[in-house]
Amino acid sequence: KHYMLDNGKSAIWEPGEIIYEAGSLPKEAYLILEGYVNLETKDGLKLNRLGIGEIFGESSILLDVPRTVTARVCAQKLVAKKIPKSYFTKMMNSNVILGALIRKTQIRLIDSNKQSNELANELSLLLGQLSSKSSPKKNILEERIRKIRSNIDQIQQNIEM
């Protein structure tokens, strides 16, 4: 259920409300005026918490793709200014070089989020195996740990680019 109050230029959501879900089509981005929002993967992994003065929802607009994360209001109401898709289109078209830099950064961010989610799922599987009654073979666990370390190294390399 959505209880958002919307006057066309800004919106207010109640604590715990979902602003948009991964996979939905973007219509606008948001500038936070009050409160906090969590960005989560479709599997529920918290990627980030954003607050006053920060923008969210722009990646999907800039790359013209469906939402890659779910945005959920934290423990207090969220007040945000709506930024229409047309604003980003004009900005990207007015400065081709800036547009290319922004797209490149957004692609890296989405890739990093995807890798973080995959890593969390792999760790969850590993922990599940460690806590199960029928313990897996040592070499299987060592291989999974090597894979996790490799994924962490890859994420760090992407961040440093």
Side-chain angles (χ1 to χ4, degrees), residues 1 4 30 33 35 45 66 74 76 101 106-107 119 129 138:
K1 289 182 178 179
M4 170 188 72
Y30 306 92
L33 303 175
L45 174 69
C74 292
Q76 67 184 76
L101 286 169
Q106 295 301 320
I107 289 169
L119 183 58
Q129 287 180 338
K138 183 181 177 190

Side-chain angles (χ1 to χ4, degrees), residues 16-105:
E17 241 186 295
I18 292 177
I19 298 161
Y20 58 77
E21 293 186 72
S24 64
L25 297 176
K27 295 179 187 135
E28 60 225 352
Y30 306 92
L31 172 65
I32 300 173
L33 303 175
E34 179 184 329
Y36 295 92
V37 64
N38 282 335
L39 300 181
E40 306 166 354
T41 67
K42 64 180 189 250
D43 296 332
L45 174 69
K46 180 181 164 188
L47 296 168
N48 206 347
R49 178 180 156 178
L50 304 175
I52 295 171
E54 294 186 277
I55 293 176
F56 66 99
E58 80 288 356
S59 294
S60 298
I61 290 173
L62 292 167
L63 298 175
D64 198 25
V65 297
R67 303 280 192 195
T68 58
V69 297
T70 294
R72 184 185 313 269
V73 181
C74 292
Q76 67 184 76
K77 77 177 179 181
L78 179 76
V79 179
K81 178 180 167 81
K82 294 165 57 174
I83 308 167
K85 194 173 189 176
S86 59
Y87 174 86
F88 292 97
T89 304
K90 286 178 195 167
M91 180 184 67
M92 299 289 277
N93 291 339
S94 70
N95 190 328
V96 178
I97 293 171
L98 179 61
L101 286 169
I102 290 171
R103 273 190 299 279
K104 178 181 172 185
T105 302

Side-chain angles (χ1 to χ4, degrees), residues 131-142:
S131 64
S132 73
K133 292 178 183 171
S134 58
S135 208
K137 292 186 170 74
K138 183 181 177 190
N139 60 343
I140 293 173
L141 288 177
E142 287 173 346

